[in-house]
Amino acid sequence: MELVIFDCDGVLVDSEPLAAEAMAAVLAEDEIAVTAADIMAFVGMKQADIFAGLQRLSGRTFDASVGHRLWPATRALFAERLQPTPDMVRFLDGLSLRRCVASSSSLERIRFSLGVTGLERFFDHDAIFSSEQVARGKPAPDLVLHAAGTMGVPPERCVVIEDSKFGIMGAVAAGMRPVGFLGGAHASDVTASALREAGAEVVLESWSAVEDWLRR
């Protein structure tokens, strides 16, 4: 393996519960009864796809302003409470393989998340990729293929670390080695069996376990 492709939310940073909390609050302003648990079912998808799923679930059409209000609300929570996933800094300090980020979030949100948690020093500026840059978000393979192509590494030499079934499905479709990660705060909302069913080669619950697996 030459390249480790990290998802951001729930893998590098413990953001998923905070993001769901912010989205539920913004929707509540419009009297749309969607819970954080409802939102967590769509973890790993790009925002437009999450909105589409929640509109189907709630039977409501979202006001156009929801997208504009969501990032300020999310950013405020991130600035106050966002942290790296446990042991992330030590793992990245010791990682000898090349690395990049491929996330369904916007580039602005990814860079803010890495900056506020102190992780930006581990990733080159041009090694951060967003679903904004491709036609189809996860579970399509477009994003990780774009990341690998830009980094100049063949898909079969890439490991993708994901916390959602949609991300795992994208890695499988790309012909990469998918690793399910359940070491974040929202691990109870994602089951190991769901990640395995999506195609994860292995499901690991800590960065020490990922480190051991990579050394095999």
Side-chain angles (χ1 to χ4, degrees):
M1 296 294 103
E2 295 182 23
L3 177 69
V4 181
I5 301 177
F6 293 92
D7 178 40
C8 183
D9 298 295
V11 173
L12 293 174
V13 298
D14 244 339
S15 58
E16 297 292 15
L18 297 178
E21 180 182 333
M23 186 177 291
V26 167
L27 293 176
E29 293 171 358
D30 294 343
E31 299 184 346
I32 298 174
V34 171
T35 67
D38 293 330
I39 295 165
M40 293 300 290
F42 299 95
V43 161
M45 303 181 79
K46 64 193 302 184
Q47 181 174 287
D49 295 332
I50 294 173
F51 281 179
L54 291 175
Q55 287 179 105
R56 290 192 300 270
L57 181 67
S58 65
R60 295 279 301 276
T61 299
F62 294 176
D63 185 270
S65 68
V66 167
H68 299 299
R69 287 181 280 142
L70 181 57
W71 171 233
T74 305
R75 183 177 57 206
L77 288 182
F78 281 10
E80 180 181 352
R81 293 156 53 188
L82 187 62
Q83 296 292 325
T85 52
D87 207 30
M88 181 79 262
V89 172
R90 185 201 62 78
F91 174 80
L92 289 175
D93 264 330
L95 182 64
S96 59
L97 295 172
R98 296 177 65 196
R99 78 288 300 267
C100 69
V101 181
S103 169
S104 294
S105 293
S106 67
L107 282 169
E108 180 182 4
R109 173 169 154 171
I110 300 166
R111 295 191 189 283
F112 184 86
S113 296
L114 297 179
V116 78
T117 56
L119 298 181
E120 60 185 354
R121 65 188 175 94
F122 293 108
F123 297 93
D124 293 338
H125 188 80
D126 57 358
I128 297 174
F129 305 97
S130 163
S131 61
E132 294 177 325
Q133 300 169 309
V134 295
R136 300 178 300 168
K138 303 169 187 178
D142 301 32
L143 178 56
V144 286
L145 287 173
H146 171 64
T150 303
M151 299 293 289
V153 179
E156 64 271 16
R157 295 183 182 176
C158 298
V159 173
V160 180
I161 303 181
E162 279 280 358
D163 66 319
S164 78
K165 64 180 182 180
F166 303 110
I168 293 294
M169 292 164 66
V172 171
M176 300 176 181
R177 297 184 71 179
V179 173
F181 180 73
L182 290 180
H186 70 298
S188 61
D189 296 295
V190 184
T191 65
S193 60
L195 296 182
R196 291 192 184 97
E197 288 170 8
E201 182 175 333
V202 64
V203 178
L204 304 170
E205 297 182 358
S206 71
W207 289 112
S208 293
V210 175
E211 191 173 53
D212 291 343
W213 184 83
L214 288 172
R215 287 175 175 169
R216 291 186 316 160

